Amino acid sequence: AMHAATRCATTPSLGGNRSAVRIKSVERPVHRSTSSSTSYAAKGWIQTSRAHATTAGRTATTLVKTSAVTPDDEFAVDYSDAVQGYSEEEMNAGSTTLGGESEPQDVGRAARYMRELIKNQVNANHLARAGSITDSSVLRRKGRLKEQDALIEFIVELHETHTTEEVFTKVERWIDEVLALPKEKRKFSRLSRMVPAVGFFFHRLPLLKALREYDEFSSLSKRRYVLPNFAEVRHILNIAQVHASSKDVRLVTFDADGTLYADGMHFEDDNKMIDKIMQLMELGIHVAIVTAAGYPGEPSRFEGRLKGLVDAFKAQALPKEVRDRFHVMGGECNYLLRVNDDYRLEFVPAQEWHTDQMYDWRENKEVASFLDRAEEFLTSYAKHLGVEVDVLRKEYAVGVLPKSDTIYENLEEMALACQAELSDASIPFCAFNGGNDVFVDVGNKHIGLQALMRYLDIDGSQTLHVGDRFTLTGNDAKVREAASILWVASPDETTFFMRLLYRDILNARIL
């Protein structure tokens, strides 16, 4: 096949911006091996996607060689995925914003990506002029119940008496102090005393670096009257976590609804995350989707939710060693699936990944009585709140779905009440607000992620989980105990942070 390979007219600075690099496209034959014994990365090739915003709207695929760059090769290390969504003229000029206005030559990639993210929000929500970073589309539907985090709220409050730079300097130092202590003593750290509900840390977080990158886009530190909001602090923490995780991440896991695609939708073939997932897999990184959805004995139903992604694996003829890096953990922790030689999802036999310590409760006869108790409470509490519901019972879950429109706060109330009611149960469970329903699952994502990490022989410090429900009633919250996290509010944000992660991995490991 003929692909557009990209050459650099000048050698770029590997750690700097791309604006000094002038690029031109040349036709170069590239032969892709479909052998199951050799991956693209092993052959020295990394696939990156370059979406050119040309009038033709065509997508060219660039293969960038990762071996040493020689004068004869001069293969681009610009990694055109990093400027996805820009026109050819904007990428070549390197000094134009999405709206066509001039911006400084040294603007960083985080600022460029964030501009694109906000532009997408403006377009998606039909806003007249300016998009807000306060997750407006989410907040309009769900109030501020999606914004619950002790550390983020603490950072926001610190701005009442500190400058932004002072805040993140202190928080970065306090996190370093936490990491310097043995795990059993971290609850006595200064940060833990100030924020008792603070989560677990696996890495030092370069918060000042992340702030400065974010500042290029937002001018956050220059504001005098409008303090940083919850979403802005969340973005800075995420950027810092991407930088920290990129050096040694071996497993990236994703929630499904609200993270990879909109709530209640499926993985379509035009999803922007398809390329990002395959790029990570081709770099040798394992990728898994960890979801509450559970379909016992029906791998085709899992496949239906992810059809666009699985079809892309087949269309690209991903070799076995690349396919083996993809898994689905369903029902929170109850079903593990992989991609077989026919590019179909199949269940991994339980004996290959279960442990007696983690799953000794699965065959317990008390599971059925626990679900009976959960169902009775959910239906009675829904009646108490005046919400008519349908009941959905599964092998390891039970949930209620409102028959008509209701308010988000009632779903939140039902989930919290259920957590309190079932808190004395001997079986691990997760009671959560799914956004349009309330479910009680046997097990939780913490157990599922631990089982997956053990199966793949990967540590928590080498794992990064991306999700949108880290609140008190979210089913991603438990994951904080097992791995580092990125908290996103939409699939567009997921794409934004995966673009950053991909570039960081290339810079940290390839270059």
Side-chain angles (χ1 to χ4, degrees), residues 438-450:
V438 177
F439 263 84
V440 176
D441 289 350
V442 174
N444 55 56
K445 287 187 179 181
H446 175 248
I447 295 172
L449 191 53
Q450 282 193 314

Side-chain angles (χ1 to χ4, degrees), residues 39-42 250-252 277-288 313 319-327 338-339 456:
S39 72
Y40 312 139
R250 293 180 55 208
L251 169 64
V252 180
I277 287 173
M278 291 197 292
Q279 286 168 356
L280 291 172
M281 292 164 61
E282 288 166 349
L283 282 175
I285 295 169
H286 292 268
V287 173
F313 290 169
K320 185 178 188 305
E321 65 183 82
V322 177
R323 294 198 310 272
D324 285 349
R325 298 185 190 119
F326 180 79
H327 291 86
R338 62 192 171 197
V339 182
L456 299 174

Side-chain angles (χ1 to χ4, degrees), residues 351-364:
Q351 61 270 21
E352 292 186 25
W353 63 282
H354 277 189
T355 67
D356 292 339
Q357 293 78 13
M358 290 182 183
Y359 289 92
D360 59 352
W361 41 265
R362 261 178 65 105
E363 307 305 324
N364 194 323

Side-chain angles (χ1 to χ4, degrees), residues 120-141:
N120 289 340
Q121 178 175 274
V122 170
N123 292 337
N125 295 307
H126 308 291
L127 302 177
R129 304 183 73 175
S132 170
I133 205 65
T134 56
D135 307 327
S136 61
S137 60
V138 174
L139 296 179
R140 263 204 305 274
R141 186 163 70 91

Side-chain angles (χ1 to χ4, degrees), residues 310-436:
V310 177
D311 286 351
F313 290 169
K314 184 174 183 178
Q316 294 294 325
L318 290 188
K320 185 178 188 305
E321 65 183 82
V322 177
R323 294 198 310 272
D324 285 349
R325 298 185 190 119
F326 180 79
H327 291 86
V328 177
M329 180 67 75
E332 309 283 4
C333 62
N334 290 298
Y335 315 100
L336 183 63
L337 297 93
R338 62 192 171 197
V339 182
N340 62 24
D341 292 339
D342 296 321
Y343 297 92
R344 304 292 302 273
L345 290 180
E346 65 179 15
F347 287 110
V348 179
Q351 61 270 21
E352 292 186 25
W353 63 282
H354 277 189
T355 67
D356 292 339
Q357 293 78 13
M358 290 182 183
Y359 289 92
D360 59 352
W361 41 265
R362 261 178 65 105
E363 307 305 324
N364 194 323
K365 293 180 180 179
E366 293 180 7
V367 168
S369 59
F370 168 78
L371 290 175
D372 289 342
R373 178 186 173 191
E375 179 179 339
E376 181 181 357
F377 181 79
L378 283 172
T379 53
S380 64
Y381 209 77
K383 184 177 180 180
H384 166 69
L385 294 175
V387 181
E388 292 188 47
V389 297
D390 289 321
V391 177
L392 180 59
R393 181 76 173 254
K394 298 184 178 182
E395 183 180 22
Y396 293 110
V398 62
V400 290
L401 298 79
K403 292 183 177 181
S404 57
D405 291 343
T406 187
I407 60 174
Y408 187 82
E409 284 75 5
N410 279 346
L411 300 180
E412 197 81 352
E413 171 70 14
M414 291 167 63
L416 287 170
C418 204
Q419 289 177 9
E421 172 66 20
L422 303 175
S423 60
D424 60 348
S426 59
I427 293 174
F429 71 95
C430 177
F432 65 97
N433 174 1
N436 298 301

Side-chain angles (χ1 to χ4, degrees), residues 18 81-83 108-114 117 210 213-214 216 235-246 273 276 279-280 283 464 486 492-508:
R18 298 174 304 281
D81 172 69
V83 286
R109 62 180 178 273
R112 295 189 184 197
Y113 298 173
M114 187 59 74
L117 177 64
E213 292 178 11
Y214 191 80
E216 291 180 330
H235 284 313
I236 293 168
L237 289 171
N238 282 348
I239 292 171
Q241 186 63 64
V242 165
H243 292 327
S245 293
S246 63
M273 278 300 298
K276 305 296 169 287
Q279 286 168 356
L280 291 172
L283 282 175
L464 182 64
L486 294 183
D492 279 341
E493 281 193 16
T494 304
T495 304
F496 164 76
F497 288 113
M498 288 305 99
R499 290 167 70 181
L500 281 182
L501 179 65
Y502 180 68
R503 266 300 292 263
D504 271 11
I505 291 172
L506 290 176
N507 287 332

